[in-house]
C-alpha cells in the first residue's frame, strides 16, 4: 500500500511522499558528504541522515545542507542526548532520528522545531512516542520485527502515522514490507558504508529507487 499521510503535509511528510527512502550515512566524513549527498539526491532521495557517531557529524550535516536543494531534508541520527538538538539546528539539521524513544529527546527536538523519528519496537513504545510528539515511527530493528509486525501495527496505529522499518533493509525486502503497510525505509549499509565511492553509492541508490517505485507505483512520477 502507498504511504498514508495527512492532507496538510509537513515538510517531512512531503519528502516522504516524494520518496520514502531515508539514506543513513553512518561513518561518512565531511569531505565525502557533498559528493555522496549529490548522487543520492539525483537518484531521487529526499531525506538524508548523518548518525552522530560518524566522524564530525555536524560538519557533514552542514556540508549536505549547503550542497543540496531545500526539498531534501537533512537530519541527525543516533541522537541520544537532548542537549545536542540546538547544535543540530545550527548545523542545518531538520530531523532528529533516534534508536530509542526517549521522551526527553523527542520533546527537545520538537522544541527546536525539528521533526523527530524515534525508534520503537513495541506498541507501548510506539504510542508513548506519539504522545511525546513523534512525527513518524522508526520500527527498529526491522530484521527482528519483520513484515508480520508491521501488518499488526498497521491495524492499530493511526493511518496517517508513517511506519518506517530500519535495519537490514535491502531492495529485495521492500516489496514484502510494503504489502504489510510500511510507509518508508531507513537504509544503512546496503546503501552506504564507509569506503564506498560516490559511484558505488549511486548504483546502490538506483537499485533502491527502482524497488521503491515498483512497490509504490503511485509515487513513480514524484520520486
Amino acid at each position: 500500500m502507498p504511504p498514508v499521510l495527512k492532507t496538510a503535509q509537513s515538510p517531512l511528510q512531503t519528502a516522504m511522499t516524494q520518496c520514502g527512502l531515508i539514506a543513513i550515512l553512518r561513518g561518512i566524513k565531511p569531505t565525502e558528504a557533498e559528493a555522496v549527498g549529490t548522487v543520492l539526491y539525483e537518484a531521487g532521495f529526499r531525506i538524508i541522515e548523518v548518525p552522530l557517531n560518524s566522524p564530525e557529524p555536524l560538519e557533514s550535516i552542514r556540508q549536505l545542507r549547503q550542497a543540496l536543494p531545500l526539498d531534501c531534508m537533512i537530519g541527525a541520527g543516533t541522537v541520544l542526548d537532548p542537549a545536542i538538538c540546538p547544535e543540530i539546528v545550527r548545523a542545518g539539521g531538520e530531523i532528529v532520528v533516534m534508536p530509542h524513544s526517549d521522551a526527553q529527546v523527542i520533546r527537545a527536538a520538537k522544541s527546536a522545531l525539528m521533526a523527530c523519528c524515534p525508534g520503537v519496537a513495541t506498541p507501548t513504545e510506539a504510542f508513548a512516542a506519539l504522545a511525546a510528539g513523534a512525527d513518524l515511527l522508526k520500527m527498529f530493528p526491522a530484521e527482528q520485527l519483520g513484515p508480520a509486525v508491521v501488518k499488526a501495527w498497521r491495524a492499530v496505529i493511526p493511518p496517517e502515522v508513517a511506519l518506517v522499518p530500519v535495519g537490514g533493509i535491502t531492495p529485495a525486502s521492500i516489496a514484502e514490507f510494503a504489502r504489510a503497510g510500511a510507509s518508508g525505509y531507513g537504509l544503512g549499509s546496503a546503501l552506504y558504508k564507509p569506503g564506498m565511492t560516490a559511484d558505488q553509492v549511486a548504483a546502490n541508490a538506483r537499485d533502491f529507487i527502482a524497488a521503491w517505485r515498483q512497490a509504490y507505483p503511485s509515487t513513480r512520477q514524484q520520486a
Side-chain angles (χ1 to χ4, degrees):
M1 62 178 288
V4 179
L5 300 170
K6 295 178 183 178
T7 302
Q9 292 188 335
S10 68
L12 177 60
Q13 290 171 320
T14 298
M16 287 285 293
T17 300
Q18 292 175 334
C19 179
L21 302 177
I22 301 172
I24 303 171
L25 304 184
R26 189 178 308 278
I28 196 163
K29 298 176 182 177
T31 53
E32 305 166 320
E34 180 176 351
V36 171
T38 297
V39 298
L40 288 170
Y41 184 85
E42 291 174 348
F45 281 72
R46 293 298 179 266
I47 305 174
I48 299 175
E49 165 197 338
V50 179
L52 292 185
N53 54 1
S54 304
E56 300 181 75
L58 296 177
E59 182 58 28
S60 289
I61 290 171
R62 188 174 292 108
Q63 293 295 328
L64 287 165
R65 180 66 287 154
Q66 292 174 354
L68 299 178
L70 293 179
D71 65 339
C72 185
M73 296 191 74
I74 310 301
T78 318
V79 179
L80 306 178
D81 184 354
I84 195 71
C85 288
E87 295 183 47
I88 295 169
V89 172
R90 286 193 290 271
E94 303 159 278
I95 311 170
V96 160
V97 184
M98 308 154 56
H100 61 333
S101 56
D102 185 335
Q104 289 186 336
V105 178
I106 297 171
R107 288 193 288 266
K110 300 305 294 181
S111 294
L113 303 181
M114 290 186 288
C116 189
C117 312
V120 294
T122 68
T124 298
E125 291 178 349
F127 282 105
L130 291 173
D135 293 278
L136 61 75
L137 297 175
K138 169 185 171 179
M139 299 184 70
F140 178 77
E143 303 105 315
Q144 192 172 25
L145 297 173
V149 173
V150 175
K151 183 177 180 180
W153 286 27
R154 192 74 281 173
V156 296
I157 297 294
E160 68 272 13
V161 176
L163 297 179
V164 180
V166 179
I169 300 297
T170 66
S173 66
I174 284 178
E176 187 176 4
F177 275 103
R179 288 191 293 270
S183 310
Y185 308 87
L187 310 177
S189 59
L191 175 67
Y192 168 85
K193 53 187 173 184
M196 282 186 177
T197 65
D199 287 344
Q200 289 172 318
V201 177
N204 292 339
R206 288 191 293 269
D207 290 342
F208 273 109
I209 289 290
W212 166 262
R213 290 175 175 169
Q214 185 172 2
Y216 301 90
S218 65
T219 65
R220 182 181 300 274
Q221 299 304 316
Q222 300 173 23

